[in-house]
Amino acid sequence: MVNIFIVKKSITSTSSSYKLLLSVSDPRTSDWFLVSAPGPLLAIVAFYVYFSTSLGPRLMKDRQPFTLRKTLIVYNFIQVILSIYLVYEGLMAGWLNDYSFKCQPVDYSDNPKAMRIARTVHLYFIVKIIDLLDTVFFVLRKKDKQISFLHVYHHAGMVMGSWGGVKYLAGGHATFLGLVNSFVHIIMYTHYLIMSLKIAKPWWKKYITQLQLFQFILLLIHFSQLLWTKDCGFPRWPAAVFIPQNLFMIVLFGDFYYQTYVKKKPKKSANENGQAYNEASNGKPKSQ
């Protein structure tokens, strides 16, 4: 009897916490596509993980890999266009003139610029869902070695994190991440597009890795400012998420850069690593 009471109390408490989390969300975005409740998104992420790690490889086991060259050309081109648009909107809606780089609160009003940045955050979230196709293409091309725990975890985490941005923080300080990340993606997907078209040799590969490292350092500084800047109205808890995350990415990409471009290796090994990292459209540790 006591156990039943404890279970009921736990269920009631969990339900209350869930309702509270939904009630404190941004009312402007509550009815936007895939934003109202986490259920549909969790289903997408769960199926993504299942397909990437189990179902997909099993379906492709006795099949020849797809080349997908035309598909990758179109995909990379769309990613470049979307990234350019996100950078433009992020600048015009706030970061070019209005936003403070030290600390910027979220404007929850229906002001046109506030709504513009909120819609941009939502589009960024949709783009992170589209990014899941990176792994799908890995599966269909039987690039199973690229489907690491880190790769799947990062893609799934970015989808969930960007959903939280739309749901609770559709504007303000954290949108700098989307601005910087989208700029880096312009460069990255342009590189993958060139690789897909096979129109040039990628002599610039190491500079893309340098750009990614600079991105994480810049974001680390940006979110660290929340720790010592006087309260401006933006919550400090995102710093507890993004500071460790960017430190981890700096270590990861720093190790890759060292192993690939600094440490002397046999020529064949270096080429294989470079190819695995820079394959058109998907062959890399994905940035945020």
Side-chain angles (χ1 to χ4, degrees):
M1 192 72 178
V2 176
N3 289 338
I4 294 176
F5 174 76
I6 293 174
V7 170
K8 286 183 177 180
K9 186 175 180 180
S10 177
I11 293 173
T12 302
S13 177
T14 302
S15 176
S16 299
S17 299
Y18 176 75
K19 290 178 181 178
L20 177 62
L21 284 174
L22 294 182
S23 68
V24 298
S25 63
D26 188 337
R28 302 171 304 165
T29 65
S30 60
D31 61 347
W32 289 5
F33 180 61
L34 290 176
V35 176
S36 59
L41 185 65
L42 288 172
I44 291 173
V45 172
F47 181 76
Y48 160 75
V49 174
Y50 173 61
F51 178 84
S52 301
T53 60
S54 180
L55 178 62
R58 283 192 284 111
L59 290 175
M60 291 300 297
K61 183 178 179 181
D62 298 320
R63 291 179 170 87
Q64 291 296 317
F66 293 92
T67 57
L68 301 178
R69 182 170 180 268
K70 292 182 179 179
T71 301
L72 291 175
I73 290 171
V74 173
Y75 174 74
N76 292 328
F77 178 76
I78 291 173
Q79 286 281 23
V80 171
I81 298 302
L82 286 172
S83 297
I84 291 173
Y85 183 75
L86 285 170
V87 169
Y88 175 79
E89 286 296 292
L91 290 172
M92 294 299 104
W95 288 105
L96 188 61
N97 295 309
D98 300 331
Y99 274 20
S100 168
F101 287 93
K102 289 185 177 180
C103 185
Q104 180 65 39
V106 180
D107 183 352
Y108 289 104
S109 73
D110 293 327
N111 177 283
K113 275 201 171 182
M115 291 303 299
R116 186 176 182 179
I117 196 70
R119 287 191 292 268
T120 303
V121 174
H122 184 245
L123 177 60
Y124 181 78
F125 159 61
I126 299 300
V127 169
K128 295 304 104 181
I129 296 178
I130 295 173
D131 286 351
L132 299 181
L133 288 173
D134 285 1
T135 318
V136 174
F137 294 145
F138 273 153
V139 172
L140 296 179
R141 296 163 69 205
K142 300 186 78 168
K143 303 289 184 179
D144 295 345
K145 290 183 179 180
Q146 304 298 330
I147 309 172
S148 64
F149 168 80
L150 176 62
H151 176 90
V152 175
Y153 166 80
H154 178 67
H155 276 68
M158 285 300 296
V159 171
M160 297 305 299
S162 56
W163 178 85
V166 185
K167 186 71 174 175
Y168 302 103
L169 299 169
H173 198 77
T175 59
F176 186 69
L177 183 155
L179 178 69
V180 173
N181 181 236
S182 296
F183 173 76
V184 172
H185 276 201
I186 294 173
I187 308 300
M188 289 175 58
Y189 281 103
T190 298
H191 161 67
Y192 301 133
L193 179 60
I194 292 172
M195 293 289 289
S196 299
L197 293 169
K198 300 180 180 180
I199 58 178
K201 292 183 178 181
W203 53 266
W204 54 83
K205 292 186 294 185
K206 74 174 183 178
Y207 301 110
I208 293 178
T209 309
Q210 290 176 358
L211 179 63
Q212 291 169 319
L213 279 167
F214 178 72
Q215 169 191 210
F216 298 127
I217 294 170
L218 190 62
L219 292 175
L220 177 64
I221 295 170
H222 182 72
F223 284 102
S224 294
Q225 290 182 115
L226 294 174
L227 301 178
W228 59 71
T229 302
K230 187 177 180 180
D231 183 20
C232 72
F234 189 88
R236 288 181 173 169
W237 65 260
V241 176
F242 290 109
I243 289 176
Q245 169 69 7
N246 282 285
L247 283 170
F248 176 68
M249 297 306 285
I250 288 170
V251 171
L252 174 68
F253 276 78
D255 179 67
F256 169 81
Y257 187 86
Y258 174 75
Q259 296 294 336
T260 305
Y261 301 113
V262 178
K263 186 179 179 181
K264 292 184 178 180
K265 291 184 175 183
K267 187 175 182 180
K268 182 178 179 181
S269 177
N271 286 339
E272 288 175 352
N273 286 341
Q275 182 181 358
Y277 183 76
N278 290 291
E279 262 189 313
S281 101
N282 304 81
K284 79 283 184 185
K286 192 75 182 288
S287 73
Q288 292 180 332

